[in-house]
Each structure stands twice: as structure tokens, then as C-alpha cells.
Amino acid sequence: MKSNDSANSEITASQTAIPFVSFAQDRAAADERKKEYPYRFPRDPRNLGGKYSVAENARRLQRFFYLERRLMQGLGAWTLGIPEFEIKLETGRHIFYHGDAARLLRERLHEQEIRLKDIDGFRDPEIDRLLEELLSAESASELLVGVHQVVGKALATAYRHHIDDTDPVTDAPTIRCLRRILTDYEPMLDWAEAAIAAYIQGGVPEAKLAVWRWHLQKLLTSIGGMTGSDPRTEAPAPLRCESKPFQRGTVPVRDVRFETFKNTGDYDVADTQERFPKDSYENLRLRFIRTQRDEVDAIEAFGTFIWDIRFKDFESEYNLARITWDETRHTEIGHRALLASGYDPFELKNRLTGSTCRGPMEPAFAMAEINLFGEVGVLKTINNLIDTAAERNDRLLHHIADFIRADERTHVRKGQGILKVMTDLDAKALELRTRELFTECLVSLGAVKKDMDLFTVSREDIERLVGE
Ligand SMILES: [Fe+2]
Ligand SMILES: [Fe+2]
């Protein structure tokens, strides 16, 4: 070996298996030039190394992607069945967090040369069984235990380990991807701890939750943890999902603070008395705000669709997850705007008409109702409402309706693509069948009289009766 550097005597044999050739005059000249360089910039301490090859990296990320996708779908399946308002809202947000984590992982996997078709086509029966069992929770509190305290916590740990173990230079994009996911995970897991503590304080037996947690943790260990590489132990038995396969709820449930109605879409009819004259601004304003709060049913609709069309098309699942979060915000906006208008939000009855009809319905028709009728219906009246609010200097309504308009326009646009994935029917046939199904449902709820001359209620009537 030809080198004049005395430090080279410490280089071990394996490091010098490939000899290097350094000319003394070049090394000395480089040293001289470095002396001329005046800047002492911060030193980047990262070193080459890391535990994973591209293939092993991709194997792990593929599992992470799959777990995130399944969590998004699984929480969607539970949206109808969660009674507590705060938990339903937070879950609507978490559906998007998991969807967005899946999207980021999918992008990185694609950069690791896995075809999108293969990423989306990946299935893992062991993970499926874990998810099925976790979804077989008997209550929303058990659901939170499984989703957050067992799987969520283990995923966050797996992400942190991956960040520590992968090469910080060659695989920097994976590290950035996982850090961004953890930005959502940290507040989500903290919230879940506090929420479960609140359930316990409110009377849910702590031991029952602890038994369930331990059961799911054993099941997770039996499949080698999040990465599949941890030591495996025997699976617990029996599994709930084996004696009774998981089925999503079909009935929208509310907590005890709500008084609900489903026999009409009209708030004045439900209240049995008018608060304001029928076409007055005050009436339209309150109806708009109540409708937003009652979009808690839109969380249920879009969340349920993610489950019902699961694995058909990732982009559609992702768009539905985003819409679910938007509807969560609309609900929050409505709740807060009611408070800011002087009401206790729980003194105002909650409309269940739309959700009751959509709950058991095939996804394409339910989607057509909420997207083509509900959201399009909102856009027909919202411009006028915003203009009137501006004229009257009603800043609260102007502000919220402005943002909601932008969201709903986006939903109508995204909805077109989602509907194409859900059905082969053309627009006309889809609209007609949706109207027929909703007529049947509205008749059964007593919102429409059977002796009406019309065979099916019109688009306008559905917009008015179901209202979104
Ligand atoms: Fe909305
Ligand atoms: Fe919407």
C-alpha cells in the first residue's frame, strides 16, 4: 500500500481490503487549501451505516403502510358505532392521520422501487386477524385501547426504532417520512391516554380494559410485532373474531346528552315550534349552523365508505379519509358557532334522518345521496347566505361559511372520482336509483307520506329533507 499518512497504520485489515492510493503532494496541497477556507460551518454528525438494505427497508415499510391503511379503514368501520361525541370527532381526525401516514409510506415505498400496484395489492393475513380482533371491541373504550394503546403505541415505537436504525444519510427520506408521521402520532396517543382515563373515571371498569389490552398485546406478539421480526409467542385463545367475524355497525348512535329525531329533515317540525319566521335570515342562519353540527352524520357516512370500498382503490380511500376529517371540522365549527350564538348545542335536537337511511345502504347510493344531493345542495344556497351575512355584518357566519364553501366544493370535485370507483352505473341511473332508495327510507321513517302522488321524491326534496 502506497501512503505516507502515519495514521493509516491504525486502519484495520478489513477496511483496507480495497487499497487506496493517496499522493503525498496532493494531500499536502489539499491541507494548504483548507487553511485558506475561513468558515467553520456546523458539522453534520451523521455517519454512513444503518441496519437495512433497500429490500429490508421496503419489507418493513410495506408492513407499516399496510397497518396504517387497515387502521384508517377499521376506524371508518366504527364511526357509526361510537356514541360519545368527543370520541367520534377525534376518531374522524385520526382516520385521516392514518390515511396520510399510509400515503407518505406509499410514496417512500415507490421510491424504493416497489410498484404502486404491488404496494396496494399487499395483504397480510396475520395483520388482518389482529385488526379483526381489535375491531371486535365491545365498546368505544375498548376500541381506543386496541387502536391506540396497543397498535398505535407499538407503531410509534417501531417508527422511532426505524429512525434510529436505518442509515441517516442514504435513507434520509425514510427518516423524514417517519418523523412527519410521528408529528401526528404524539398528540394522538397522548389524547388517547387521557380519553381512556376519562372513560375509567366515568365508570368503565379498568380491569375489563386491562384484560382486553393484554389479550391484544399477546396477539401482537404472536405475529412478531409491527415489523414481524420480533420473537414470536403463542397466540391467545379464543379470539372474539373467530367465534363471530367483525361486522360494522349500521345504526348511528349518540351519547345521552343528545336528543335526536329522524322523522323529518325540517328543524322547525322537529322542534314543534318555530324560533324565527320561516324565510327570515335568522332562520336560515340557525339552520346552517345546526346543519354543520349535525354533520356528525357525514363523519359516519364517509368513514363507513372507506370500510365498504376497502382495497378497491387507495387514492379513493385516501380522499374519503380527508373528507371525513373535513366533516369532523364542520361538526366542530357548528358546535362552536352554536355556542358563539348563545345556545347550548345539546339543547338543539340532532337530526339523524340521513345517517339512518345511509347506514345500512350500499355505498354507491349512500355516497351519491350525500355527495350529489347533500353537498351539491349546500352549494346551491351558500353563496346567497355568505352575501347576506356580509351585508348584515354577521362576521361569525360569513367566516365559517366561507371556509365551508371551499371545503364542500372540493368534496363535490373529489366525489366524482370516488363514485366512479364505487359504481359502474351512469350518472342518470345512479341518481334515479338513489332517489328510489331514499324515498323508501324516508317513507319508512315517516318523513314522507306514502300517498304522495310521486313515485320517488325529487332531488330538491331529498336536499331539503336529508339536508347536509
Ligand atoms: Fe360538510
Ligand atoms: Fe362535505
Side-chain angles (χ1 to χ4, degrees):
M1 192 174 74
K2 195 173 170 186
S3 169
N4 295 333
D5 194 336
S6 61
N8 284 337
S9 59
E10 288 169 24
I11 294 174
T12 64
S14 71
Q15 284 170 306
T16 56
I18 299 171
F20 69 95
V21 181
S22 173
F23 296 119
Q25 65 274 25
D26 291 353
R27 179 75 62 107
D31 282 344
E32 283 309 308
R33 289 197 303 278
K34 279 195 273 183
K35 282 181 197 154
E36 304 279 297
Y37 191 65
Y39 312 116
R40 295 291 173 267
F41 291 121
R43 194 177 164 278
D44 182 344
R46 296 172 303 157
N47 290 316
L48 289 174
K51 287 184 179 170
Y52 311 128
S53 62
V54 168
E56 176 61 10
N57 204 28
R59 186 192 71 78
R60 288 171 183 248
L61 296 188
Q62 179 72 73
R63 279 178 74 93
F64 297 160
F65 164 79
Y66 192 64
L67 280 151
E68 295 289 1
R69 187 183 195 182
R70 299 253 51 192
L71 285 172
M72 161 180 71
Q73 297 168 344
L75 286 177
W78 257 88
T79 47
L80 280 158
I82 298 172
E84 293 78 23
F85 185 63
E86 294 85 350
I87 311 297
K88 206 188 279 272
L89 254 57
E90 207 63 42
T91 298
R93 205 184 335 275
H94 296 162
I95 286 171
F96 179 68
Y97 288 176
H98 292 300
D100 207 38
R103 181 186 65 85
L104 287 165
L105 290 161
R106 185 173 183 259
E107 244 169 47
R108 183 59 186 146
L109 273 164
H110 195 40
E111 291 166 359
Q112 302 277 276
E113 300 194 284
I114 313 291
R115 292 184 309 171
L116 290 177
K117 202 169 146 276
D118 294 333
I119 301 169
D120 295 351
F122 178 87
R123 301 286 183 275
D124 185 295
E126 287 182 339
I127 293 176
D128 288 343
R129 204 163 65 133
L130 173 67
L131 258 289
E132 282 264 320
E133 186 67 357
L134 169 161
L135 294 176
S136 304
E138 280 168 359
S139 62
S141 52
E142 281 195 356
L143 179 74
L144 295 192
V145 165
V147 169
H148 299 291
Q149 287 189 325
V150 179
V151 174
K153 211 168 176 180
L155 264 177
T157 305
Y159 294 160
R160 282 194 293 267
H161 286 175
H162 200 101
I163 288 169
D164 288 344
D165 285 342
T166 197
D167 188 311
V169 183
T170 58
D171 196 24
T174 297
I175 294 177
R176 183 164 186 273
C177 161
L178 295 174
R179 284 208 180 118
R180 287 171 70 185
I181 295 172
L182 285 172
T183 309
D184 285 338
Y185 260 69
E186 279 149 16
M188 175 165 68
L189 296 181
D190 286 349
W191 171 86
E193 286 300 327
I196 291 164
Y199 270 126
I200 293 166
Q201 209 162 27
V204 172
E206 185 170 8
K208 190 165 189 296
L209 296 184
V211 167
W212 182 237
R213 186 184 309 116
W214 185 243
H215 171 76
L216 291 174
Q217 252 156 6
K218 265 164 63 184
L219 186 57
L220 174 59
T221 310
S222 78
I223 68 166
M226 290 297 135
T227 62
S229 305
D230 294 345
R232 290 171 180 240
T233 51
E234 213 174 303
L239 296 182
R240 284 184 194 171
C241 67
E242 275 169 356
S243 54
K244 185 170 170 275
F246 169 72
Q247 279 196 316
R248 73 160 173 85
T250 52
V251 179
V253 290
R254 299 287 178 271
D255 67 61
V256 295
R257 293 167 298 175
F258 285 98
E259 199 184 332
T260 62
F261 68 93
K262 57 188 181 189
N263 62 323
T264 174
D266 189 326
Y267 288 119
D268 287 338
V269 174
D271 292 347
T272 65
Q273 55 183 319
E274 274 184 14
R275 289 166 202 269
F276 300 107
K278 194 131 208 76
D279 291 317
S280 63
Y281 174 72
E282 290 74 14
N283 188 300
L284 296 176
R285 179 187 197 273
L286 181 59
R287 192 169 82 195
F288 179 79
I289 300 175
R290 288 182 76 170
T291 298
Q292 295 311 311
R293 192 282 303 269
D294 290 350
E295 287 206 351
V296 66
D297 75 353
I299 303 173
E300 295 165 337
F302 292 107
T304 301
F305 300 149
I306 303 173
W307 177 257
D308 285 356
I309 66 152
R310 64 194 179 279
F311 297 127
K312 270 196 172 173
D313 173 54
F314 178 77
E315 308 264 351
S316 295
E317 288 170 40
Y318 176 76
N319 283 334
L320 284 168
R322 176 52 204 254
I323 296 176
T324 306
W325 177 32
D326 293 348
E327 303 300 359
T328 301
R329 285 189 294 108
H330 296 174
T331 308
E332 293 175 311
I333 291 167
H335 182 86
R336 284 164 173 72
L338 285 175
L339 284 168
S341 301
Y343 295 96
D344 174 343
F346 297 107
E347 77 181 78
L348 298 163
K349 286 185 185 170
N350 174 225
R351 179 172 58 199
L352 285 185
T353 322
S355 210
T356 306
C357 288
R358 283 188 295 262
M361 199 171 277
E362 258 183 70
F365 304 117
M367 175 70 188
E369 189 281 326
I370 194 164
N371 179 246
L372 297 179
F373 295 11
E375 291 177 324
V376 169
V378 168
L379 293 183
K380 283 184 184 168
T381 54
I382 200 168
N383 287 334
N384 258 335
L385 191 65
I386 290 175
D387 290 345
T388 315
E391 278 163 27
R392 293 179 172 239
N393 212 12
D394 181 351
R395 296 212 35 192
L396 175 72
L397 197 88
H398 187 268
H399 170 65
I400 64 171
D402 189 23
F403 273 87
I404 288 167
R405 174 172 59 183
D407 289 341
E408 297 300 0
R409 280 181 181 157
T410 309
H411 295 179
V412 169
R413 207 171 55 236
K414 284 180 181 169
Q416 302 295 308
I418 297 167
L419 274 170
K420 280 206 188 88
V421 170
M422 286 181 162
T423 179
D424 296 328
L425 290 177
D426 66 44
K428 256 204 140 109
L430 180 63
E431 177 177 331
L432 180 63
R433 187 71 192 124
T434 303
R435 280 170 45 204
E436 287 169 359
L437 289 169
F438 265 79
T439 303
E440 275 174 40
C441 182
L442 293 171
V443 168
S444 77
L445 296 179
V448 173
K449 295 273 173 300
K450 217 188 170 88
D451 57 6
M452 275 174 86
D453 317 342
L454 294 167
F455 170 60
T456 51
V457 297
S458 68
R459 155 181 278 276
E460 285 70 26
D461 282 334
I462 292 182
E463 286 171 6
R464 188 175 51 79
L465 286 165
V466 179
E468 292 305 335

